Amino acid sequence: MFNHFCKTPLWECSRTLAAVAQGQQPADLVIKNGRLVNVCTAEIQEPIDVAVAAGRIAYVGNADHCIGEGTQVIDAAGQYIAPGFLDGHIHVESSMVGAGEYARAVIPHGTVGIYWDPHEVCNVLGMDGVRVMMEDAARTPLKAMVTFPSCVPAVPGFEDTGAAIGPKEIAEAMTWDGVVGLGEMMNFPGVLGGNAEAHGELAETLKADKVITGHYSIPETDQGLNAYVASGVRCCHESARREDALAKMRLGQYAQLRFGSAWHDLPELAHAITESNIDTRFANLISDDTHPHTLVSEGHLDHILRTAVTCGIDAVTAIQMATINVATCFRMDHELGSVTPGKCADIVLLDSLEQLNVTATIIDGALVAQDGQALFSLEPFDYPQWVTQSMHLGLEITPETFAVAAPAGATDGSTVTVRAMEVASGRVADDEVHVPLTVKGGQLHSSLEQDTLKTFVFERHRETGTFGVGFTKGFGIKRGAMASTVAHDAHNLLVVGTNDADMALAANTLARVGGGMVVVADGEVLGLVELPIAGLMDALPAPEMSRKVHHLEQTWEQIGCAMASPFMTMALIPLACLPQLRLTNRGLVDCTTFQFTSLFVDGEN
């Protein structure tokens, strides 16, 4: 596979690299006196120099003979030289900034490349929306390698999206420069059930000789997992138990150990590494979704590496899991993932293997970040109007819209049992729980005593006017309402609240500003993050978005929620490919049987 993300193809500069390695012509850059993290042999070599020419590594050793009059020399004395970090599964849109600003945020933290599934924007704006995002990313040094969205919608027939992707679209996308594989195949029931559309997408990817990325989110490690792996799915980031990750690695599937802003699977999954005495070549470290506040305050893959080390994973092993293992997973280790001759000169300097602070980032032989600051600038990206005007509701939302009628025959004061989605901080899966609610005025209402809130999902792409109704338990809020157009994966308008008036205010506020996230209480907007780019992102830099989102989280606390990154947990309420119970604009979905189910328990209608 030719890597379109290296500055110069190897066939074009092999003669130059050979000459530089032998001192016959000077290097463009030499890094001196470092301690090399050799991810090929899992050892530290010192002292080591690295010579770079034509954006690639020419020599590793004592590079005095490679230095000429015009050679840039970086003294790395006391520091560690490691390959630049690669994120094997990420949705840029979840950072709430555009792809260009995302690059400016993560490169200073040592990230040189991402395997990016832009299925958020694709669900809203289709293939044209993905192209716009790729154009934004291409202005930066970041190697933004796209795994094209496979599941738009995530689970066909259960929700309405702004676009639809099938085998025909996948075949086209596989011809695009910059597309290296298929985005997470969330429709694992379709794969296991022999669905023609799902297998058609797999086939088009395999015919293009590209990598299929996965999403196998159920705690099953026998026949189903074998079938999923046998279908060609090379990696999966949805392990929640250590036995899930171990089973995938034993079957030759790359287990991508996740530690994002809200999904903290790594501490549990690390036991598969630390307690099993296994070869770790099939383990990756990934972020999946990273909140702007996390990027600014904690970092990106450097933060995940530090977490891995605190979980007992050896630092060199952890670095392998964010470099050569990822490159090998995507069959690009001949170009990326190690500091070895011929590879792209994507390098980080680290202060220590304990703190793992990145002091410099080099991409294609150019110093692009130093001491936490990006050394490249970006002009504002010019987004087309159709990208920034994506709110197309087909109804007028009023407080009366949020009335939930009790089943026929239910009298005031009687009890009706409803199915509710119970969420928890830092956890992807939810639980179906049954909650008794008292009928008042012929309706069912939120119950603060039982921490159970009305939840609505409104279609916002095609003006259908459809919406689904449910209840959510676990947020702990005591007043007000929240709304968001970041609502995976269809990104319809999601509203959760204690009372109808505040829910209507929250919904209409987002309709007015073009999408985003909002918290309201007692008729007042407490916090608002406008996300006009597809209702998912803003063009602001990450630090400014971080401040806005941090303020929004503080307003969640004001209304009673102590959950970490609560909007990220809330955003999964409509995701009908995750267990157990989810709500889309078409209704409640039992995600263990993949059937619509009634709001009411015990045969109530």
Side-chain angles (χ1 to χ4, degrees), residues 36-43 82-83 316 319-321 323-325 337-340:
L36 177 65
V37 180
N38 192 319
V39 295
C40 299
T41 54
E43 63 180 328
V316 173
I319 291 171
Q320 288 177 311
M321 291 162 63
T323 56
I324 194 168
N325 292 12
S338 64
V339 181
T340 52

PDB file of all heavy atoms in Angstrom, residues 36-43 82-83 316 319-321 323-325 337-340:
ATOM      1  N   LEU A  36      17.198   5.967  22.477  1.00  0.00           N
ATOM      2  CA  LEU A  36      16.210   5.496  21.517  1.00  0.00           C
ATOM      3  C   LEU A  36      15.292   4.445  22.129  1.00  0.00           C
ATOM      4  O   LEU A  36      15.761   3.428  22.655  1.00  0.00           O
ATOM      5  CB  LEU A  36      16.896   4.906  20.284  1.00  0.00           C
ATOM      6  CG  LEU A  36      15.956   4.302  19.234  1.00  0.00           C
ATOM      7  CD1 LEU A  36      15.077   5.386  18.612  1.00  0.00           C
ATOM      8  CD2 LEU A  36      16.742   3.554  18.156  1.00  0.00           C
ATOM      9  N   VAL A  37      13.972   4.698  22.049  1.00  0.00           N
ATOM     10  CA  VAL A  37      12.993   3.671  22.387  1.00  0.00           C
ATOM     11  C   VAL A  37      12.815   2.828  21.133  1.00  0.00           C
ATOM     12  O   VAL A  37      12.100   3.211  20.202  1.00  0.00           O
ATOM     13  CB  VAL A  37      11.653   4.295  22.821  1.00  0.00           C
ATOM     14  CG1 VAL A  37      10.652   3.190  23.178  1.00  0.00           C
ATOM     15  CG2 VAL A  37      11.847   5.237  24.010  1.00  0.00           C
ATOM     16  N   ASN A  38      13.494   1.691  21.106  1.00  0.00           N
ATOM     17  CA  ASN A  38      13.452   0.838  19.929  1.00  0.00           C
ATOM     18  C   ASN A  38      12.229  -0.067  20.033  1.00  0.00           C
ATOM     19  O   ASN A  38      12.222  -1.051  20.773  1.00  0.00           O
ATOM     20  CB  ASN A  38      14.725   0.007  19.804  1.00  0.00           C
ATOM     21  CG  ASN A  38      14.830  -0.662  18.440  1.00  0.00           C
ATOM     22  OD1 ASN A  38      13.838  -1.163  17.896  1.00  0.00           O
ATOM     23  ND2 ASN A  38      16.028  -0.647  17.870  1.00  0.00           N
ATOM     24  N   VAL A  39      11.172   0.277  19.320  1.00  0.00           N
ATOM     25  CA  VAL A  39       9.919  -0.478  19.412  1.00  0.00           C
ATOM     26  C   VAL A  39       9.988  -1.777  18.628  1.00  0.00           C
ATOM     27  O   VAL A  39       9.096  -2.626  18.761  1.00  0.00           O
ATOM     28  CB  VAL A  39       8.728   0.371  18.937  1.00  0.00           C
ATOM     29  CG1 VAL A  39       8.493   1.564  19.852  1.00  0.00           C
ATOM     30  CG2 VAL A  39       8.899   0.816  17.486  1.00  0.00           C
ATOM     31  N   CYS A  40      11.050  -1.961  17.824  1.00  0.00           N
ATOM     32  CA  CYS A  40      11.208  -3.224  17.103  1.00  0.00           C
ATOM     33  C   CYS A  40      11.718  -4.326  18.033  1.00  0.00           C
ATOM     34  O   CYS A  40      11.344  -5.493  17.871  1.00  0.00           O
ATOM     35  CB  CYS A  40      12.185  -3.047  15.940  1.00  0.00           C
ATOM     36  SG  CYS A  40      11.652  -1.832  14.725  1.00  0.00           S
ATOM     37  N   THR A  41      12.557  -3.947  18.987  1.00  0.00           N
ATOM     38  CA  THR A  41      13.171  -4.938  19.879  1.00  0.00           C
ATOM     39  C   THR A  41      12.815  -4.725  21.350  1.00  0.00           C
ATOM     40  O   THR A  41      13.286  -5.465  22.215  1.00  0.00           O
ATOM     41  CB  THR A  41      14.698  -4.894  19.730  1.00  0.00           C
ATOM     42  OG1 THR A  41      15.151  -3.541  19.942  1.00  0.00           O
ATOM     43  CG2 THR A  41      15.113  -5.352  18.335  1.00  0.00           C
ATOM     44  N   ALA A  42      11.988  -3.719  21.626  1.00  0.00           N
ATOM     45  CA  ALA A  42      11.550  -3.417  22.994  1.00  0.00           C
ATOM     46  C   ALA A  42      12.743  -3.186  23.921  1.00  0.00           C
ATOM     47  O   ALA A  42      12.828  -3.742  25.022  1.00  0.00           O
ATOM     48  CB  ALA A  42      10.650  -4.517  23.541  1.00  0.00           C
ATOM     49  N   GLU A  43      13.668  -2.340  23.482  1.00  0.00           N
ATOM     50  CA  GLU A  43      14.832  -2.009  24.302  1.00  0.00           C
ATOM     51  C   GLU A  43      15.143  -0.526  24.168  1.00  0.00           C
ATOM     52  O   GLU A  43      14.658   0.155  23.260  1.00  0.00           O
ATOM     53  CB  GLU A  43      16.042  -2.840  23.881  1.00  0.00           C
ATOM     54  CG  GLU A  43      16.491  -2.582  22.452  1.00  0.00           C
ATOM     55  CD  GLU A  43      17.704  -3.406  22.040  1.00  0.00           C
ATOM     56  OE1 GLU A  43      18.549  -3.699  22.908  1.00  0.00           O
ATOM     57  OE2 GLU A  43      17.801  -3.747  20.841  1.00  0.00           O
ATOM     58  N   ALA A  82      11.488   8.582  20.392  1.00  0.00           N
ATOM     59  CA  ALA A  82      10.492   7.535  20.149  1.00  0.00           C
ATOM     60  C   ALA A  82       9.758   7.826  18.853  1.00  0.00           C
ATOM     61  O   ALA A  82       9.753   8.969  18.364  1.00  0.00           O
ATOM     62  CB  ALA A  82       9.497   7.462  21.310  1.00  0.00           C
ATOM     63  N   PRO A  83       9.123   6.806  18.283  1.00  0.00           N
ATOM     64  CA  PRO A  83       8.284   7.082  17.108  1.00  0.00           C
ATOM     65  C   PRO A  83       7.128   8.000  17.493  1.00  0.00           C
ATOM     66  O   PRO A  83       6.645   7.983  18.635  1.00  0.00           O
ATOM     67  CB  PRO A  83       7.752   5.691  16.710  1.00  0.00           C
ATOM     68  CG  PRO A  83       8.599   4.711  17.444  1.00  0.00           C
ATOM     69  CD  PRO A  83       9.081   5.389  18.685  1.00  0.00           C
ATOM     70  N   VAL A 316       7.831   1.002  27.657  1.00  0.00           N
ATOM     71  CA  VAL A 316       8.222   0.664  26.286  1.00  0.00           C
ATOM     72  C   VAL A 316       7.115  -0.134  25.599  1.00  0.00           C
ATOM     73  O   VAL A 316       6.789   0.104  24.435  1.00  0.00           O
ATOM     74  CB  VAL A 316       9.555  -0.106  26.269  1.00  0.00           C
ATOM     75  CG1 VAL A 316       9.873  -0.598  24.864  1.00  0.00           C
ATOM     76  CG2 VAL A 316      10.686   0.776  26.793  1.00  0.00           C
ATOM     77  N   ILE A 319       4.414   2.280  24.630  1.00  0.00           N
ATOM     78  CA  ILE A 319       4.783   3.040  23.434  1.00  0.00           C
ATOM     79  C   ILE A 319       4.617   2.181  22.182  1.00  0.00           C
ATOM     80  O   ILE A 319       4.142   2.665  21.139  1.00  0.00           O
ATOM     81  CB  ILE A 319       6.211   3.609  23.571  1.00  0.00           C
ATOM     82  CG1 ILE A 319       6.228   4.701  24.655  1.00  0.00           C
ATOM     83  CG2 ILE A 319       6.719   4.158  22.238  1.00  0.00           C
ATOM     84  CD1 ILE A 319       7.612   5.173  25.035  1.00  0.00           C
ATOM     85  N   GLN A 320       4.985   0.918  22.259  1.00  0.00           N
ATOM     86  CA  GLN A 320       4.742   0.020  21.117  1.00  0.00           C
ATOM     87  C   GLN A 320       3.253  -0.006  20.752  1.00  0.00           C
ATOM     88  O   GLN A 320       2.878  -0.032  19.580  1.00  0.00           O
ATOM     89  CB  GLN A 320       5.193  -1.405  21.455  1.00  0.00           C
ATOM     90  CG  GLN A 320       6.695  -1.608  21.514  1.00  0.00           C
ATOM     91  CD  GLN A 320       7.045  -3.022  21.935  1.00  0.00           C
ATOM     92  OE1 GLN A 320       6.511  -3.539  22.924  1.00  0.00           O
ATOM     93  NE2 GLN A 320       7.936  -3.662  21.191  1.00  0.00           N
ATOM     94  N   MET A 321       2.403   0.010  21.782  1.00  0.00           N
ATOM     95  CA  MET A 321       0.956  -0.087  21.575  1.00  0.00           C
ATOM     96  C   MET A 321       0.367   1.177  20.961  1.00  0.00           C
ATOM     97  O   MET A 321      -0.780   1.169  20.515  1.00  0.00           O
ATOM     98  CB  MET A 321       0.271  -0.410  22.908  1.00  0.00           C
ATOM     99  CG  MET A 321       0.581  -1.814  23.418  1.00  0.00           C
ATOM    100  SD  MET A 321       0.251  -2.056  25.184  1.00  0.00           S
ATOM    101  CE  MET A 321      -1.515  -1.794  25.237  1.00  0.00           C
ATOM    102  N   THR A 323       2.358   2.947  18.630  1.00  0.00           N
ATOM    103  CA  THR A 323       3.220   3.249  17.479  1.00  0.00           C
ATOM    104  C   THR A 323       3.241   2.067  16.513  1.00  0.00           C
ATOM    105  O   THR A 323       2.368   1.930  15.670  1.00  0.00           O
ATOM    106  CB  THR A 323       4.646   3.615  17.939  1.00  0.00           C
ATOM    107  OG1 THR A 323       5.194   2.547  18.741  1.00  0.00           O
ATOM    108  CG2 THR A 323       4.651   4.885  18.772  1.00  0.00           C
ATOM    109  N   ILE A 324       4.212   1.170  16.674  1.00  0.00           N
ATOM    110  CA  ILE A 324       4.398   0.111  15.683  1.00  0.00           C
ATOM    111  C   ILE A 324       3.224  -0.855  15.642  1.00  0.00           C
ATOM    112  O   ILE A 324       2.858  -1.365  14.568  1.00  0.00           O
ATOM    113  CB  ILE A 324       5.729  -0.642  15.920  1.00  0.00           C
ATOM    114  CG1 ILE A 324       6.063  -1.488  14.684  1.00  0.00           C
ATOM    115  CG2 ILE A 324       5.690  -1.458  17.203  1.00  0.00           C
ATOM    116  CD1 ILE A 324       7.469  -2.028  14.679  1.00  0.00           C
ATOM    117  N   ASN A 325       2.589  -1.120  16.796  1.00  0.00           N
ATOM    118  CA  ASN A 325       1.429  -2.021  16.779  1.00  0.00           C
ATOM    119  C   ASN A 325       0.289  -1.439  15.952  1.00  0.00           C
ATOM    120  O   ASN A 325      -0.421  -2.159  15.258  1.00  0.00           O
ATOM    121  CB  ASN A 325       0.944  -2.295  18.202  1.00  0.00           C
ATOM    122  CG  ASN A 325       1.911  -3.112  19.023  1.00  0.00           C
ATOM    123  OD1 ASN A 325       3.059  -3.310  18.631  1.00  0.00           O
ATOM    124  ND2 ASN A 325       1.467  -3.582  20.180  1.00  0.00           N
ATOM    125  N   GLY A 337       5.628   4.119  12.340  1.00  0.00           N
ATOM    126  CA  GLY A 337       5.574   3.398  13.605  1.00  0.00           C
ATOM    127  C   GLY A 337       6.882   3.034  14.252  1.00  0.00           C
ATOM    128  O   GLY A 337       6.884   2.514  15.373  1.00  0.00           O
ATOM    129  N   SER A 338       8.023   3.292  13.611  1.00  0.00           N
ATOM    130  CA  SER A 338       9.312   2.983  14.238  1.00  0.00           C
ATOM    131  C   SER A 338      10.351   3.992  13.789  1.00  0.00           C
ATOM    132  O   SER A 338      10.227   4.612  12.723  1.00  0.00           O
ATOM    133  CB  SER A 338       9.773   1.561  13.882  1.00  0.00           C
ATOM    134  OG  SER A 338      10.009   1.438  12.489  1.00  0.00           O
ATOM    135  N   VAL A 339      11.381   4.154  14.606  1.00  0.00           N
ATOM    136  CA  VAL A 339      12.515   5.010  14.245  1.00  0.00           C
ATOM    137  C   VAL A 339      13.578   4.096  13.656  1.00  0.00           C
ATOM    138  O   VAL A 339      14.508   3.640  14.329  1.00  0.00           O
ATOM    139  CB  VAL A 339      13.034   5.792  15.466  1.00  0.00           C
ATOM    140  CG1 VAL A 339      14.208   6.693  15.071  1.00  0.00           C
ATOM    141  CG2 VAL A 339      11.921   6.642  16.071  1.00  0.00           C
ATOM    142  N   THR A 340      13.424   3.798  12.388  1.00  0.00           N
ATOM    143  CA  THR A 340      14.322   2.899  11.675  1.00  0.00           C
ATOM    144  C   THR A 340      14.538   3.430  10.270  1.00  0.00           C
ATOM    145  O   THR A 340      13.703   4.168   9.735  1.00  0.00           O
ATOM    146  CB  THR A 340      13.732   1.468  11.615  1.00  0.00           C
ATOM    147  OG1 THR A 340      12.387   1.538  11.109  1.00  0.00           O
ATOM    148  CG2 THR A 340      13.722   0.807  12.976  1.00  0.00           C
TER     149      THR A 340
END
